[in-house]
Amino acid sequence: DSGAPVIGLEPSCLFTLKDEFPALLPGEDSEKLSQYAVLLEQYLVNEKKARRLNLKLKKATQPIILHGHCHQKSFAAMEDVVGALKLIPEAQVETVQSSCCGMAGAYGYGTDTYEMSMAMGELSLIPAVREANDKTRIVADGFSCRHQISDGTGRSARHAVHLLDEALPASARK
């Protein structure tokens, strides 16, 4: 009721508030929640555009490849993820052109679905991560996406918020 944003980090959870709550629990409260629910990256980019955000971040020293969660792609939120990462001065962000990572929640952990899950990951995401040099930062906001990347490549992907946090000067992290 106060108009304060509801900020989320996990795309599948946040877009549940925006999309599924109003459908499953129709009413004024669900509609309000839907209107005020935003991903952190969307919030930061909007605050920057409104000139209410002035972060003094350290320069990027490594390239970044970004995998978008299915919900981020289907709700046109990828531009804000890239925009938030580019708040880091000199950040070089390359978005992997991929469909679903293949994990789809717990789908990839099923004994009957594991091979299909990995085949989906092998279409573009997993090869792109394998081909990236060791200094390239891998970003994926989705929990299941990060697991699929780890399972398929042995590399760790991080949420965009971690890179933003690391770019904060030590004096701002206290």
Side-chain angles (χ1 to χ4, degrees), residues 10-27 29-35 37 69-72 74-75 104-105:
E10 171 61 38
S12 61
C13 296
L14 187 279
F15 286 107
T16 295
L17 300 178
K18 290 189 78 59
D19 184 53
E20 295 176 33
F21 269 32
L24 295 171
L25 302 167
D29 290 341
S30 293
E31 287 301 322
K32 278 185 189 176
L33 178 59
S34 175
Q35 290 171 8
H69 187 281
C70 290
H71 282 89
Q72 288 171 311
S74 60
F75 288 96

Side-chain angles (χ1 to χ4, degrees), residues 51-127:
R51 296 189 170 126
R52 291 186 295 258
L53 179 69
N54 185 22
L55 297 174
K56 304 264 192 267
L57 301 175
K58 297 181 285 189
K59 288 192 277 187
T61 59
Q62 301 161 311
I64 300 165
I65 64 170
L66 169 65
H67 167 70
H69 187 281
C70 290
H71 282 89
Q72 288 171 311
K73 293 173 190 170
S74 60
F75 288 96
M78 288 302 297
E79 185 177 316
D80 289 328
V81 181
V82 172
L85 288 168
K86 288 194 171 194
L87 292 171
I88 303 169
E90 299 184 28
Q92 299 171 20
V93 182
E94 177 188 339
T95 302
V96 177
Q97 298 305 311
S98 60
S99 61
C100 178
C101 70
M103 182 59 77
Y107 177 84
Y109 286 121
T111 55
D112 58 333
T113 55
Y114 174 78
E115 286 183 30
M116 179 61 72
S117 169
M118 293 308 293
M120 288 175 68
E122 288 289 350
L123 292 173
S124 54
L125 173 60
I126 291 174

